[in-house]
Amino acid sequence: MKPWEDKIRRVVPYVPGEQPKGQGIIKLNTNENPYPPAPGVRKALEELRTEELRKYPDPTVKTLAGCLADYYKVEPDQVFVGVGSDDVLAMAFLAFFNSEKPILFPDISYSFYKVWAELFGIPYETAPLDEAFLIRPEDYYRENGGVIFPNPNAPTGLLMDLKQVEDVLAHNQDVIVIVDEAYIDFGGKSALELLEKYENLLVVQTFSKARSMAGMRIGFAVGSRELIRILQDVKYSFNSYTMNLPSLVLGVEAVRDDAYFRETIGRIVDTREKAKERLKRLGFSFPDSMSNFIFASHEKASASELFEALKGQGIYVRYFNQPRLENYLRITIGTDEEMEKLFSFLECYLKDMA
């Protein structure tokens, strides 16, 4: 070992989904929206002057934060904007999880939580999902240094109703509780309506899923003025200019066009429900997803073999080689045409197995 090696912080990193390139690829592995952003986004991009790029962007992200505040009916100083929800969540871990007590999150959940905890030296414990992959609120009644969970959960897609979310909050009023709502727009009520009652609640959302803006990296948190001020202090402690100018400009346009936003969500939900019926007929079982993906297992086909077979046909889904998940595939909802190609292949593949 070299003299300096024992001073290096080593972690097992988060592994993102593959980003395949090429013609004819059907990409159903990273939960991106299959439809383009709102028309106003394209128009604003075309009108963006390169002259503006020589200047620093607004470090306060005032316009976008104000737009989000208007949309979600909160005050601008209750909104924090970052470079994707991952950036927002990482800052929240740094800011709010500083107890010697372990933070709590589900054992089957967004795998970045464990990475951040280990990177920042935060003690943590995981609460196992039940046999139906559901989060049990009572598992979060015990003493802890903070709580975080996604709703709907990933990769299962299952939704906790708002009463259960509030149950967790009611039993954890002495720590910060973060509800990660990356997929909330595809089903269920947001915990945002609990903000007035719980000043220790932070709700985090993203533009990457329902708003079709994964490539722009925009995420945001909504919480009490005190929590948002603390997040701003953390941001200004290492990078004042986290958001680039195009993201700020285009993000505003994505929020303004609510009709397009609702229409796109409706299309995805409609395709998701039809996909559930097709998958059932093919012998798949899955939790009742309220997200933009389905977490499916076949009664006879090996998930790992099916994953490779799909990949060989240019159809990418997500496979997790982990305990309890090793026979499941997470399938992002694509366009009707993309899903039809998926089902056509599955029908042939499963027929050949018979």
Side-chain angles (χ1 to χ4, degrees):
M1 178 179 290
K2 298 179 180 65
W4 43 264
E5 284 188 286
D6 62 344
K7 306 296 191 298
I8 296 174
R9 187 188 302 275
R10 299 183 188 276
V11 295
V12 178
Y14 172 77
V15 179
E18 292 180 75
Q19 297 292 334
K21 306 295 182 183
Q23 296 295 320
I25 295 293
I26 297 177
K27 192 170 181 293
L28 307 176
N29 65 329
T30 51
N31 300 342
E32 295 147 330
N33 195 313
Y35 302 108
V41 173
R42 179 173 180 174
K43 185 173 185 294
L45 182 61
E46 292 171 346
E47 294 175 354
L48 190 65
R49 294 183 296 116
T50 56
E51 166 64 17
E52 298 178 66
L53 299 181
R54 71 179 181 81
K55 300 177 182 178
Y56 285 111
D58 175 13
T60 69
V61 299
K62 181 179 179 180
T63 303
L64 180 53
C67 187
L68 286 165
D70 290 343
Y71 186 85
Y72 290 105
K73 296 179 173 56
V74 296
E75 296 301 316
D77 56 2
Q78 289 183 263
V79 179
F80 176 85
V81 181
V83 186
S85 60
D86 288 341
D87 181 49
V88 176
L89 289 166
M91 290 192 195
F93 268 61
L94 275 172
F96 304 127
F97 294 160
N98 290 293
S99 169
E100 293 181 357
K101 301 171 186 176
I103 64 170
L104 304 178
F105 51 83
D107 66 334
I108 297 174
S109 187
Y110 187 30
S111 55
F112 230 140
Y113 300 159
K114 181 178 179 181
V115 174
W116 286 318
E118 293 182 350
L119 177 64
F120 301 142
I122 301 167
Y124 68 91
E125 292 178 4
T126 59
L129 302 183
D130 69 12
E131 292 183 359
F133 288 131
L134 293 167
I135 292 173
R136 294 175 292 210
E138 60 268 25
D139 288 341
Y140 298 84
Y141 291 179
R142 65 185 188 267
E143 195 172 14
N144 63 75
V147 174
I148 181 168
F149 57 89
N151 196 38
N153 197 7
T156 66
L158 286 170
L159 177 78
M160 289 176 69
D161 65 42
L162 208 54
K163 287 183 179 179
Q164 291 177 302
V165 173
E166 184 166 10
D167 187 17
V168 175
L169 279 160
H171 285 85
N172 289 280
Q173 296 188 54
D174 59 341
V175 297
I176 303 302
V177 176
I178 302 174
V179 183
D180 182 357
E181 294 187 338
Y183 303 99
I184 195 66
D185 296 309
F186 300 104
K189 289 185 178 180
S190 171
L192 287 168
E193 63 184 73
L194 299 175
L195 285 171
E196 289 188 11
K197 190 173 180 180
Y198 298 95
E199 63 181 5
N200 63 318
L201 168 63
L202 189 74
V203 179
V204 179
Q205 295 191 15
T206 179
F207 282 47
S208 296
K209 314 302 181 185
R211 295 192 185 276
S212 306
M213 298 278 280
M216 293 308 299
R217 312 308 300 127
I218 305 171
F220 63 97
V222 186
S224 67
R225 291 176 175 83
E226 177 67 8
L227 294 189
I228 298 306
R229 182 189 63 76
I230 292 168
L231 278 177
Q232 296 285 14
D233 288 346
V234 172
K235 165 189 167 178
Y236 286 122
S237 295
F238 74 93
N239 185 358
S240 300
Y241 302 102
T242 57
M243 298 298 298
N244 66 68
L245 177 63
S247 291
L248 296 178
V249 172
L250 305 185
V252 167
E253 297 303 324
V255 176
R256 282 178 175 166
D257 196 338
D258 192 50
Y260 181 85
F261 176 57
R262 299 294 168 190
E263 177 192 349
T264 302
I265 291 171
R267 293 171 73 183
I268 292 170
V269 169
D270 181 62
T271 302
R272 180 189 72 200
E273 295 308 302
K274 290 188 292 186
K276 289 177 183 178
E277 292 303 316
R278 293 287 293 274
L279 288 169
K280 283 178 185 177
R281 292 201 296 268
L282 288 169
F284 286 89
S285 59
F286 42 84
D288 189 21
S289 175
M290 289 293 110
S291 60
N292 68 334
F293 58 84
I294 298 173
F295 193 55
S297 176
H298 195 267
E299 57 190 357
K300 296 179 180 177
S302 159
S304 61
E305 292 177 7
L306 189 49
F307 168 75
E308 293 297 340
L310 285 163
K311 189 174 177 180
Q313 296 296 311
I315 302 172
Y316 286 74
V317 296
R318 193 78 189 266
Y319 173 62
F320 299 91
N321 187 16
Q322 300 172 21
R324 295 184 69 187
L325 309 183
E326 65 272 3
N327 205 41
Y328 283 85
L329 297 175
R330 193 190 67 191
I331 305 168
T332 302
I333 301 302
T335 63
D336 286 337
E337 293 76 16
E338 288 173 329
M339 299 304 287
E340 189 58 44
K341 290 178 181 178
L342 169 72
F343 295 132
S344 294
F345 172 79
L346 290 175
E347 287 169 359
C348 293
Y349 182 89
L350 296 171
K351 183 178 180 181
D352 290 341
M353 282 186 59

